[in-house]
Amino acid sequence: MGYQKVKGTQDFIGLDAQKMRLIQDKMANVARCYGFEEIVTPIMENTEVFVKSVGETTDVVTKEMYTFLDKGGRSITLRPEGTAAIARSYLENKMYGEAGIKKLYYVGPMFRYERQQAGRYRQFNQFGVEVYGKAGPMLDADLIAFGYYLCKSLGIKNITLKINSIGDSSSRNNYSKALKEYFGGCIDTFCEDCKKRINANPLRILDCKVDAGREEILNAPKLSSFLNQESIDYFNEVKKYLDNLGIDYVVDENLVRGLDYYTDTVFECIINSDDELNGLAVVGGGRYANMLYDMGKVDVPGIGFAIGLERVKLLMEKEGLFDNLDNSTEVFLMGLDEESKVVTLNLANKLREKGIKAELDYASMSMKSQFKTAERLNAKYIAIIGEEERLNNKVNLKNTLTKEQITISQDDLIKYIK
Ligand code: AMP
């Protein structure tokens, strides 16, 4: 067998690539309406950018990062997510010196060594946003609304917005202690990772992919009983703003998210479907109060989310939302002899300069095979030039839909097609 792509990666060819581009273009347009500007950062970072911020005991850091030593002996990681990398750039470029809040969006590939399954890849693309600056629960609601609206604006219907508050660090420390005690009696029956998690970070047991759905997890103490008054009030305000916006959501007390940096508000949009995508998140995000301080002693809170483009594409394909994608050629030019071919080349270039998609056959002279090509390209018009047309500066134009056929001057071709 010849060369094969790396497991968990994909090639996007033609229409598939067009779909991915369309999704990100639409998202970028919505982001601009919400006041975001684009940021492009490298796909690799120094490993420590992710280790502390994403969390030393998270699955992402312990098992999923593509980390290697470069030729200078530095530890480099292909970014597994955007938030920590954007935070690094925000700090390094001293964006905190600017007035007001900073709203940034990014799009690009992420890398995680995850178990391959439907909708889960080792290289996948995220469209993500981050907002830095002091702002209250109204911003959280606005950002959640934005994430939800991104899906809706693309036509995706079957998703549920789940929200939760995971409180501040002190609430979570108390909760961790309670979970340690609660799981202490039964941890022997859990997976090997959970056995380590009970000491390192018991919250992780709640979103373990292996032990998911177990009674003990479902009946575990709820984080909501450990939130302090400030976090409760904050979350109530977020819900109030969402209610005001008329956005449907479900409060899911088991939603803790797989990355350590979150504080208070977290949210996900979950896929409802009759296949293996059911239950997967398409959007995930939340507030992170301490990341910038922990990384660079800058006391600015952040909030953000990321949406997976491959999952969006799968959902849109399932719901037939690409069916109107018009990829057809507008004009196919046929030259029936060597000299007429030269004319078709010139005309094709004139059409393209005017933004008209024009294609031609470079080699074949036979009408039959050129008609076949035109059919394969789904051409709306076929412009035929043989000796007679060439000598009279004319073109024989056939509308493939109505079958109407006319002869017009070559100079009028653009005007006619437009
Ligand atoms: P996360 O960064 O884990 O919060 O993920 C945010 C979003 O990225 C998810 O809701 C998915 O849409 C997407 N995503 C995360 N991991 C993968 C993956 N391995 N393959 C495809 N999409 C992913």
Side-chain angles (χ1 to χ4, degrees):
M1 209 187 296
Y3 297 114
Q4 285 183 311
K5 60 184 176 290
V6 172
K7 196 171 168 190
T9 65
Q10 295 186 89
D11 294 321
F12 294 95
I13 301 164
L15 193 60
D16 278 328
Q18 197 185 345
K19 289 175 184 174
M20 292 293 275
R21 181 78 50 207
L22 184 135
I23 294 169
Q24 34 181 298
D25 286 351
K26 283 199 171 179
M27 288 182 174
N29 277 335
V30 178
R32 277 189 280 273
C33 294
Y34 275 80
F36 285 75
E37 56 183 323
E38 186 170 10
I39 179 168
V40 181
T41 62
I43 59 164
M44 53 184 175
E45 293 280 345
N46 291 309
T47 301
E48 68 255 24
V49 167
F50 301 110
V51 174
K52 271 266 156 55
S53 53
V54 174
E56 277 160 298
T57 60
T58 56
D59 278 358
V60 169
V61 169
T62 54
K63 295 193 257 175
E64 296 172 0
M65 295 209 302
Y66 282 88
T67 298
F68 58 94
L69 289 181
D70 72 4
K71 302 237 185 291
R74 303 168 197 91
S75 180
I76 304 289
T77 293
L78 297 184
R79 62 180 180 198
E81 57 104 56
T83 303
I86 307 299
R88 190 274 306 146
S89 176
Y90 178 83
L91 292 167
E92 190 173 347
N93 293 294
K94 299 191 172 51
M95 288 185 238
Y96 47 82
E98 298 171 25
I101 60 170
K102 188 84 184 163
K103 291 176 160 183
L104 300 167
Y105 80 85
Y106 60 89
V107 57
M110 306 291 157
F111 305 84
R112 293 183 197 170
Y113 190 78
E114 288 203 83
R115 198 163 54 82
Q116 212 188 335
Q117 64 178 75
R120 179 165 286 144
Y121 309 96
R122 291 184 175 169
Q123 177 176 334
F124 57 97
N125 291 278
Q126 281 185 341
F127 180 94
V129 303
E130 310 294 341
V131 184
Y132 301 107
K134 294 210 163 72
M138 192 194 265
L139 170 63
D140 298 35
D142 198 25
L143 203 85
I144 294 171
F146 172 22
Y148 188 60
Y149 177 63
L150 264 185
C151 297
K152 294 283 163 185
S153 68
L154 289 162
I156 297 170
K157 288 186 205 79
N158 296 318
I159 48 166
T160 303
L161 171 63
K162 290 188 173 176
I163 63 169
N164 192 22
S165 172
I166 56 170
D168 60 13
S169 334
S170 82
S171 311
R172 266 211 316 288
N173 282 342
N174 292 337
Y175 183 49
S176 277
K177 279 186 205 139
L179 283 181
K180 208 166 161 178
E181 217 162 276
Y182 171 80
F183 284 115
C186 57
I187 198 69
D188 288 348
T189 62
F190 277 67
C191 76
E192 288 309 308
D193 283 332
C194 282
K195 284 180 192 148
K196 290 183 209 139
R197 285 175 182 135
I198 189 151
N199 289 318
N201 190 347
L203 249 88
R204 289 276 81 77
I205 300 176
L206 299 177
D207 62 8
C208 173
K209 286 167 195 154
V210 179
D211 288 313
R214 284 183 59 148
E215 284 273 296
E216 296 92 329
I217 291 185
L218 299 176
N219 297 329
K222 298 292 179 230
L223 181 52
S224 55
S225 344
F226 293 82
L227 296 186
N228 58 29
Q229 197 53 45
E230 211 180 318
S231 288
I232 295 172
D233 292 345
Y234 193 96
F235 193 43
N236 284 337
E237 286 284 298
V238 174
K239 288 188 281 187
K240 200 182 80 190
Y241 287 117
L242 286 175
D243 292 338
N244 240 301
L245 283 165
I247 291 179
D248 279 334
Y249 60 85
V250 175
V251 176
D252 178 353
E253 295 200 33
N254 279 329
L255 183 65
V256 292
R257 311 273 298 122
L259 316 167
D260 271 357
Y261 46 68
Y262 290 111
T263 50
D264 284 307
T265 318
V266 290
F267 66 101
E268 284 186 346
C269 292
I270 305 290
I271 302 171
N272 310 312
S273 78
D274 49 11
D275 57 16
E276 60 278 58
L277 293 179
N278 189 44
L280 283 181
V282 62
V283 183
R287 173 166 282 286
Y288 45 94
N290 309 318
M291 185 196 276
L292 296 179
Y293 190 79
D294 293 343
M295 285 175 86
K297 299 284 172 278
V298 171
D299 191 15
V300 173
I303 181 167
F305 67 77
I307 174 164
L309 301 191
E310 285 79 2
R311 288 187 192 170
V312 167
K313 176 172 172 280
L314 285 170
L315 288 175
M316 290 180 68
E317 281 168 345
K318 227 180 118 156
E319 295 186 25
L321 297 168
F322 289 119
D323 291 357
N324 293 330
L325 211 60
D326 189 1
N327 207 21
S328 50
T329 298
E330 272 166 278
V331 189
F332 183 81
L333 295 119
M334 269 167 70
L336 302 183
D337 57 70
E338 208 60 67
E339 283 172 68
S340 301
K341 283 255 174 245
V342 179
V343 179
T344 60
L345 180 65
N346 290 341
L347 280 176
N349 276 281
K350 281 188 184 140
L351 287 162
R352 291 160 179 164
E353 279 166 19
K354 295 289 174 208
I356 296 165
K357 188 171 170 188
E359 192 47 288
L360 65 157
D361 186 315
Y362 299 95
S364 168
M365 300 295 170
S366 110
M367 254 184 144
K368 196 173 159 204
S369 75
Q370 293 198 63
F371 268 119
K372 265 198 184 147
T373 312
E375 199 178 327
R376 182 171 52 77
L377 296 174
N378 214 0
K380 291 180 192 153
Y381 290 98
I382 301 176
I384 307 163
I385 298 171
E387 192 184 6
E388 196 188 324
E389 287 83 11
R390 171 163 48 81
L391 292 176
N392 295 307
N393 258 329
K394 301 258 178 200
V395 50
N396 185 292
L397 193 66
K398 181 177 174 179
N399 181 323
T400 59
L401 206 72
T402 61
K403 308 284 181 234
E404 191 191 352
Q405 204 155 340
I406 53 167
T407 300
I408 55 171
S409 91
Q410 291 175 12
D411 295 337
D412 287 341
L413 183 61
I414 292 173
K415 217 174 1 162
Y416 187 86
I417 301 291
K418 276 209 143 179

